[in-house]
């Protein structure tokens, strides 16, 4: 078991900060939240991160932290691990919220990147393999038809503005809608349309909610594995494209990490 001294070391190794030429503090610590192991591992390897052996999270939880120094950044990839009973990835909003909260508490990141795959709507111009930066996030499966609670359920919010990042990396930009189901019920479809979404995932709006509570900016990078309004069944298309699309996702995320290196938040 880690001693209290080990825990302090694990946390304090992430606090070096320098200034940009105009005197603003550069981004120093980044937390990348990724729901699935298949999405996370290629990036862990690319950035040469190693698995944490300190308990920055409560003992017994399956959440995994990979970390290391990449260029001038302390990079942490947080993957919520596998369900302790069923052995599948802890996807969805509950685990995403918990790891976002715990990571912010333990690591005090300057910036969070939520990276993952998503379904895309061809009617909105999405194609398999496209990488999107989400301009807005909202939920589509929290229907509460009582005045004001209805808006609370949808939880729509704009994401942190990154005009230079979008321009430099030539990313597509679209609205993201989040729910806890991979499929799309007619109710969800109505809400997703109302949210004006181009992409659909199972974590984004939850990460946004927690990060907003704790005032940490988030950038959402989502790669399209399946076309929701297409002919192919979602599960089949998702599994067919997961590995190839993950390569595009990881390339985009490493470009984002390269871009933010030595910059302050206002330069994104
Ligand atoms: N059967 C899969 C389950 C993946 S669930 C497995 O191999 O375990 C889908 C994951 O990818 C979630 O983390 C979600 O955020 C994202 N995703 C991809 N396509 C999606 C879609 N069409 N709708 C919702 N989430 C999607």
């Amino acid at each position: 078991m880690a001693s209290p001294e080990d825990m302090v070391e694990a946390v304090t190794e992430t606090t070096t900060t320098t200034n940009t030429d105009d005197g603003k503090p550069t981004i120093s610590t980044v937390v990348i939240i990724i729901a699935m192991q298949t999405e996370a591992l290629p990036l862990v390897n690319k950035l040469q991160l190693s698995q944490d052996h300190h308990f920055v999270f409560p003992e017994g939880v399956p959440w995994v932290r990979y970390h290391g120094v990449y260029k001038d950044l302390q990079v942490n990839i947080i993957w919520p691990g596998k369900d302790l009973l069923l052995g599948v990835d802890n996807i969805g909003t509950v685990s995403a919220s918990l790891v976002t909260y715990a990571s912010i508490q333990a690591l005090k990141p300057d910036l969070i990147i939520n990276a993952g795959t998503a379904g895309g709507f061809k009617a909105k111009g999405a194609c398999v393999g496209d990488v999107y930066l989400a301009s807005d996030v909202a939920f589509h499966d929290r229907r509460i038809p009582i005045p004001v609670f209805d808006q609370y359920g949808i939880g729509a919010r704009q994401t942190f503005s990154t005009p230079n990042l979008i321009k430099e990396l030539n990313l597509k930009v679209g609205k993201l809608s989040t729910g806890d189901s991979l499929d799309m019920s007619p109710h969800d479809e109505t809400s997703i349309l109302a949210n004006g979404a181009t992409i659909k995932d199972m974590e984004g709006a939850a990460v946004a909610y927690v990060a907003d509570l704790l005032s940490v900016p988030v950038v959402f990078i989502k790669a399209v594995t399946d076309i929701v309004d297409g002919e192919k069944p979602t599960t089949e298309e998702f599994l067919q494209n997961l590995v190839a699309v993950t390569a595009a996702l990881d390339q985009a995320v490493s470009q984002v990490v390269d871009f933010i290196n030595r910059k302050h938040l206002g330069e994104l």
Side-chain angles (χ1 to χ4, degrees):
M1 206 182 93
S3 67
E5 290 76 24
D6 286 344
M7 293 180 69
V8 169
E9 187 198 318
V11 174
T12 53
E13 69 172 13
T14 61
T15 52
T16 43
T17 306
T18 53
N19 289 335
T20 51
D21 292 342
D22 51 358
K24 304 243 173 65
T26 54
I27 297 163
S28 158
T29 301
V30 184
V31 161
I32 306 174
I33 295 181
I34 305 185
M36 295 184 69
Q37 189 174 36
T38 312
E39 298 161 343
L41 286 186
L43 199 59
V44 167
N45 294 331
K46 194 164 185 173
L47 301 177
Q48 299 191 312
L49 308 181
S50 41
Q51 191 167 339
D52 197 3
H53 295 291
H54 300 279
F55 291 102
V56 294
F57 297 134
E59 207 177 335
V61 299
W63 312 336
V64 182
R65 173 191 178 219
Y66 300 96
H67 68 120
V69 175
Y70 177 80
K71 298 193 171 174
D72 302 296
L73 297 164
Q74 300 286 343
V75 178
N76 301 272
I77 292 185
I78 309 295
W79 164 54
K82 303 232 181 204
D83 182 86
L84 293 170
L85 208 58
L86 302 170
V88 294
D89 289 305
N90 285 316
I91 58 175
T93 61
V94 175
S95 287
S97 307
L98 288 169
V99 296
T100 303
Y101 179 78
S103 304
I104 295 173
Q105 291 293 91
L107 303 166
K108 310 269 181 278
D110 303 305
L111 181 73
I112 293 176
I113 299 170
N114 175 216
T117 54
F121 291 84
K122 68 171 191 227
K124 293 271 192 176
C127 303
V128 168
D130 282 350
V131 181
Y132 276 89
L133 185 141
S135 58
D136 301 75
V137 296
F139 291 99
H140 56 251
D141 60 357
R142 306 201 315 176
R143 294 175 295 277
I144 316 169
I146 303 171
V148 191
F149 279 104
D150 51 1
Q151 291 167 46
Y152 166 78
I154 294 164
R157 60 192 80 229
Q158 272 183 1
T159 63
F160 181 66
S161 168
T162 57
N164 299 325
L165 178 72
I166 291 165
K167 207 155 89 191
E168 177 79 17
L169 269 60
N170 204 17
L171 292 165
K172 283 189 152 186
V173 179
K175 294 185 179 183
L176 170 65
S177 193
T178 298
D180 269 305
S181 300
L182 179 63
D183 68 1
M184 184 171 71
S185 70
H187 271 125
D188 287 354
E189 185 172 9
T190 307
S191 305
I192 290 168
L193 279 174
N195 288 342
T198 304
I199 44 174
K200 164 182 181 285
D201 82 341
M202 298 174 65
E203 294 86 16
V207 173
Y209 172 76
V210 178
D212 257 17
L213 273 184
L214 301 174
S215 304
V216 183
V218 192
V219 172
F220 298 86
I221 306 291
K222 301 279 166 174
V224 175
T225 39
D226 48 273
I227 296 301
V228 185
D229 52 351
E231 284 77 47
K232 292 190 191 156
T234 295
T235 315
E236 202 178 290
E237 198 176 18
F238 170 82
L239 291 174
Q240 205 171 51
N241 294 324
L242 180 60
V243 173
V245 170
T246 293
L249 172 70
D250 291 339
Q251 200 199 342
V253 174
S254 50
Q255 285 174 336
V256 172
V257 174
D258 283 333
F259 182 80
I260 65 177
N261 187 53
R262 288 175 168 253
K263 290 197 172 62
H264 66 75
L265 287 169
E267 289 177 293
L268 306 188

